């Protein structure tokens, strides 16, 4: 499969469901000199076997539910609920859909609890128009959770999803038990509005390809880039019932919301004092999209936070370390 055909397929399907050999071939030119590292086969098989008993990220069916706001939300719900755990709701990154979660990360977490992946309003398979503010995105996420009638739940938000997660936790403190904030930052934080021309070119691309994802999500080192290739290969595990891709209109609305959120304003940080739930804050040490200084700000101003910075990793640290981060999330939520 040619590089051009790969890019076209990526534009049409957020799942990036292309063949493993084709991905490696396309990425060789994007990351010269990158050697393909051995995948931890034993770990992958173990977690895949566990996940099969209660569904997995690669096989869980698409579900739909209509909330009080009239929106039909596309979601997937599976895993291993226990008497001591509550459901974990996942909120996705900019331009991401259900298919952009790393199956190994999700299945690692789902082995110990029930997980719920959702497309927020106007994104992927969910109806409606994507709003241009984080505040409305959080209200939309709450409308979905209310439709599921969840009395108590945990939230994991990645990047844009982490910003939404903060607002959900602030608005529903009696329901949100624990929070995981990955590769994200507080309202009014530092350097959250990208200005580097190369970063902007990849972020704004109408048809992002493998090279864009490797550049934005993984550090420019052989180890990190190789892990990025493995991540892209894992996205191809889901071959049926893919989610719809995010539209360019959703992209633009999300950019507007993130740009407003990222206006530097130290006075906004005081809001974090009201987010009293236990919070796991995590990021890669070389995140170019959401500089880790923002994770340090979150850890400093949140009353009950634990900070975890992953080495030799970028914005996609959770996909570079899927089992390690998934295990850390489970341990945190089990405390």
């Amino acid at each position: 499969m040619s590089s051009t055909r790969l890019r076209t397929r990526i534009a049409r399907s957020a799942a990036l469901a292309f063949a493993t050999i084709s991905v490696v071939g396309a990425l060789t030119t994007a990351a010269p000199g990158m050697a393909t590292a051995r995948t931890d086969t034993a770990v992958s098989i173990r977690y895949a076997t566990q996940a099969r008993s209660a569904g997995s990220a690669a096989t869980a069916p698409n579900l739909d539910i209509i909330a009080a706001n009239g929106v039909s939300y596309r979601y997937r719900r599976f895993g291993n609920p226990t008497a001591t755990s509550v459901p974990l709701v996942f909120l996705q990154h900019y331009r991401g859909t259900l298919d952009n979660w790393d199956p190994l990360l999700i299945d690692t977490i789902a082995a110990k609890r029930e997980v719920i992946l959702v497309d927020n309003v106007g994104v992927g398979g969910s109806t409606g128009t994507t709003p241009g503010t984080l505040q409305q995105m959080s209200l939309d996420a709450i409308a979905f959770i209310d439709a599921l009638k969840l009395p108590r739940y945990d939230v994991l938000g990645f990047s844009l999803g982490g910003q939404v997660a903060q607002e959900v936790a602030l608005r529903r403190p009696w329901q949100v038990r624990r929070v995981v904030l990955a590769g994200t930052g507080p309202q009014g934080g530092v350097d959250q509005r990208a200005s580097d021309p190369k970063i902007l070119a990849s972020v704004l691309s109408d048809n992002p390809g493998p090279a864009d994802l490797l550049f934005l999500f993984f550090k420019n080192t052989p180890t990190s880039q190789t892990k990025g290739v493995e991540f892209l290969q894992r996205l191809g595990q889901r071959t049926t019932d893919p989610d719809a891709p995010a539209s360019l209109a959703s992209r633009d609305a999300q950019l507007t919301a993130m740009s407003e959120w990222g206006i530097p304003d130290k006075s906004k940080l005081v809001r974090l004092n009201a987010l009293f739930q236990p919070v796991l804050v995590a990021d890669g040490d070389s995140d170019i999209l959401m500089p880790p200084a923002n994770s340090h700000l979150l850890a400093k101003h949140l009353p009950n936070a634990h900070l975890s910075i992953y080495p030799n990793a970028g914005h996609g640290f959770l996909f570079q370390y899927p089992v390690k981060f998934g295990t850390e999330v489970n341990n945190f939520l089990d405390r």
Side-chain angles (χ1 to χ4, degrees):
M1 183 181 293
S2 67
S3 168
T4 300
R5 288 179 63 194
L6 274 175
R7 290 177 181 276
T8 301
R9 191 166 185 180
I10 291 168
R12 292 175 180 172
S13 171
L16 303 174
F18 34 71
T20 296
I21 294 177
S22 298
V23 176
V24 175
L27 292 174
T28 299
T29 56
M34 180 171 55
T36 303
R38 178 183 64 83
T39 303
D40 192 338
T41 305
V43 171
S44 298
I45 292 175
R46 174 161 57 88
Y47 279 94
T49 301
Q50 289 178 349
R52 275 199 299 269
S53 64
S56 71
T59 62
N62 291 332
L63 304 172
D64 298 282
I65 190 169
I66 299 177
N69 58 3
V71 170
S72 177
Y73 289 84
R74 176 67 50 83
Y75 71 104
R76 294 173 188 157
R77 184 173 185 174
F78 57 98
N80 289 277
T82 69
T84 57
S85 67
V86 300
L88 175 61
V89 179
F90 286 74
L91 302 173
Q92 184 59 291
H93 64 78
Y94 163 72
R95 300 182 79 167
T97 68
L98 302 178
D99 290 335
N100 290 101
W101 290 110
D102 186 332
L104 184 53
L105 169 67
I106 300 301
D107 288 349
T108 298
I109 297 172
K112 295 194 65 177
R113 66 195 66 252
E114 184 177 32
V115 301
I116 301 172
L117 318 180
V118 62
D119 286 333
N120 212 341
V121 173
V123 178
S126 293
T127 64
T129 301
T130 304
T133 69
L134 267 299
Q135 289 72 25
Q136 185 58 49
M137 289 180 187
S138 71
L139 292 174
D140 291 338
I142 289 171
F144 163 72
I145 295 168
D146 284 350
L148 292 182
K149 302 186 185 303
L150 300 181
R152 192 82 163 145
Y153 52 90
D154 297 325
V155 181
L156 186 155
F158 172 37
S159 194
L160 167 67
Q163 296 165 349
V164 177
Q166 292 172 56
E167 292 295 305
V168 170
L170 285 167
R171 292 172 185 272
R172 289 295 180 91
W174 67 92
Q175 289 183 322
V176 177
R177 189 186 68 106
R178 285 175 177 259
V179 182
V180 179
L181 300 177
T184 193
Q187 185 176 13
V190 296
D191 298 327
Q192 296 187 55
R193 294 152 58 93
S195 59
D196 182 279
K198 187 177 180 181
I199 294 176
L200 287 173
S202 290
V203 166
L204 297 174
S205 174
D206 287 355
N207 300 303
D212 296 302
L213 290 172
L214 284 174
F215 167 63
L216 293 173
F217 275 38
F218 297 89
K219 189 176 181 179
N220 188 26
T221 63
T223 299
S224 185
Q225 291 289 300
T226 297
K227 292 298 183 182
V229 173
E230 294 176 1
F231 161 64
L232 292 177
Q233 291 170 356
R234 289 194 297 272
L235 289 185
Q237 291 176 8
R238 188 178 182 93
T239 57
T240 60
D241 201 18
D243 194 12
S247 68
L248 296 183
S250 290
R251 175 200 67 181
D252 294 344
Q254 289 176 342
L255 280 171
T256 298
M258 291 188 296
S259 295
E260 179 184 352
W261 179 274
I263 297 173
D265 185 349
K266 292 182 179 179
S267 69
K268 299 291 186 183
L269 298 176
V270 71
R271 300 175 72 245
L272 296 174
N273 293 331
L275 206 167
F276 58 79
Q277 299 95 324
V279 182
L280 171 61
V281 180
D283 199 1
D285 64 358
S286 302
D287 189 339
I288 62 174
L289 287 177
M290 185 63 63
N294 288 287
S295 290
H296 287 277
L297 277 176
L298 285 168
K300 177 181 178 181
H301 291 277
L302 289 167
N304 191 4
H306 171 77
L307 178 64
S308 186
I309 301 296
Y310 283 73
N312 189 35
H315 194 60
F317 76 94
L318 65 173
F319 306 144
Q320 180 170 331
Y321 296 93
V323 174
K324 183 176 181 180
F325 181 63
T327 301
E328 181 175 22
V329 168
N330 275 334
N331 291 339
F332 167 73
L333 297 178
D334 284 342
R335 290 176 191 163

